[in-house]
Amino acid sequence: MNRRNFVGLLPLAAALQACSSFSSKPVVAETVGPVVATPKPKPKLGLALGGGAARGFAHIGVIKALETSGLAPDIVVGTSVGAVVGSLYAAGFDVFELQKMAIQLEESALTDWSVFDRGFLKGEALERFINQQVSNRPIEQLKRRFAAVATDLAAGETAVFTSGNTGTAVRASAAIPGVFAPVVIRGREYVDGGLTSPIPVKAARQLGADIVIAVDISAKPSGKKNQGGIDLLLDTIAVMGHSIGARDLGDADIVIRPDLLGVAATNFQQRNEAILQGERVGFAAIPRVREKLAAAGGR
């Protein structure tokens, strides 16, 4: 075989060798599955319930509107009476049970008079009532994420209780200075959360709420003359709360304000009226809540 023929056979030999290699080691094609998009997590809905004494029954009406519209909040944070209602709701009571409880509630069940011990009331009755209703479960074991907002008396700062004794935390959140004695928790004294965070929007954000509904049940001072000591104190807190509350509400996605002008902060007999007002404005806010949820990824 001459050199030219030999050189010409080299490509043929290389091709045969390649075929031999392929047949002895079959190539397995890698299967690539379809690209599946990771679903966007549903936005968490937070409910910030403000303080306002007996006007707090309006919170039940707002919760009723949300629940019956299929918009139950994931996170509930309350200040003062907002912590009272919020803790019971977070414990698992539905709105109808809450409403029944409110109607049957005797004011005497929450009052325990103190003999000049830094307040007219001790607050132990309120703590006992809450713990009985939640079956003595601590905050972290409630069915819904919950926090009670109080004020650290020594530091003058907001304190957010997300764990521990539920009744004690609610009692601290509702300890209006001069009415209730301060509450001692782990060696520190706490009073009403309304002094530093009347409507706890910021705390709801801290707990992970993507959309926050704030319920403002505060009212302008009554303007009554010759008021009693408690009414005067509540009016004073209302003046302060309006300026602080405006700061809180600026971070809310939706603000609900029940019309409670004729509902006295100390009048438990107007509870039905307060509930109905909360329900009315709650249902009116439902379209806005749905819009916010849709914009954030829907439910």
Side-chain angles (χ1 to χ4, degrees):
M1 180 182 295
N2 61 36
R3 180 179 178 85
R4 181 178 298 178
N5 291 336
F6 177 77
V7 172
L9 289 174
L10 286 177
L12 178 59
L16 290 173
Q17 178 64 32
C19 290
S20 173
S21 299
F22 281 129
S23 60
S24 61
K25 295 180 181 179
V27 176
V28 179
E30 183 180 352
T31 303
V32 179
V35 178
V36 179
T38 303
K40 187 177 180 180
K42 294 180 180 179
K44 291 185 178 179
L45 185 61
L47 186 61
L49 303 176
R55 298 188 185 101
F57 290 108
H59 290 320
I60 297 174
V62 173
I63 293 172
K64 184 177 181 180
L66 293 171
E67 278 273 357
T68 55
S69 300
L71 298 172
D74 305 291
I75 297 166
V76 182
V77 182
T79 289
S80 199
V81 69
V84 175
V85 175
S87 65
L88 298 173
Y89 178 54
F93 288 100
D94 63 34
V95 289
F96 299 102
E97 291 172 325
L98 286 176
Q99 189 166 346
K100 182 179 179 180
M101 189 185 303
I103 293 172
Q104 296 178 344
L105 181 65
E106 295 292 336
E107 191 174 349
S108 59
L110 305 179
T111 55
D112 48 358
W113 296 99
S114 172
V115 183
F116 306 110
D117 185 20
R118 304 174 72 189
F120 296 112
L121 303 173
K122 290 186 260 184
E124 293 173 359
L126 173 60
E127 178 177 338
R128 190 163 51 247
F129 171 79
I130 294 297
N131 279 334
Q132 287 174 347
Q133 299 304 320
V134 305
S135 301
N136 292 308
R137 284 173 291 168
I139 293 175
E140 64 270 24
Q141 290 182 15
L142 299 180
K143 292 184 178 180
R144 183 173 273 106
R145 188 81 188 277
F146 170 71
V149 175
T151 298
D152 186 317
L153 188 57
E157 298 175 348
T158 301
V160 182
F161 292 101
T162 59
S163 63
N165 187 296
T166 303
T168 304
V170 170
R171 174 187 172 191
S173 180
I176 301 170
V179 178
F180 288 94
V183 180
V184 179
I185 300 175
R186 294 187 290 274
R188 300 189 69 85
E189 290 188 323
Y190 296 92
V191 293
D192 196 308
L195 299 178
T196 53
S197 183
I199 307 153
V201 176
K202 184 177 180 180
R205 294 276 187 213
Q206 291 173 341
L207 262 67
D210 300 302
I211 297 170
V212 178
I213 302 171
V215 185
D216 179 10
I217 58 169
S218 64
K220 293 181 179 180
S222 63
K224 294 178 182 178
K225 296 181 179 180
N226 302 318
Q227 298 181 86
I230 294 180
D231 287 324
L232 178 61
L233 178 60
L234 292 175
D235 265 4
T236 303
I237 293 176
V239 172
M240 177 186 65
H242 267 289
S243 58
I244 301 175
R247 177 199 65 193
D248 288 342
L249 292 174
D251 194 34
D253 296 286
I254 297 166
V255 178
I256 297 177
R257 288 189 178 92
D259 182 6
L260 301 171
L261 186 60
V263 179
T266 55
N267 191 348
F268 275 64
Q269 303 309 313
Q270 292 180 285
R271 65 193 83 184
N272 283 332
E273 182 179 347
I275 292 172
L276 289 173
Q277 289 294 342
E279 188 176 337
R280 182 180 64 81
V281 295
F283 276 114
I286 295 301
R288 285 181 290 151
V289 177
R290 294 193 190 282
E291 288 175 6
K292 291 289 184 179
L293 285 169
R299 279 203 169 192

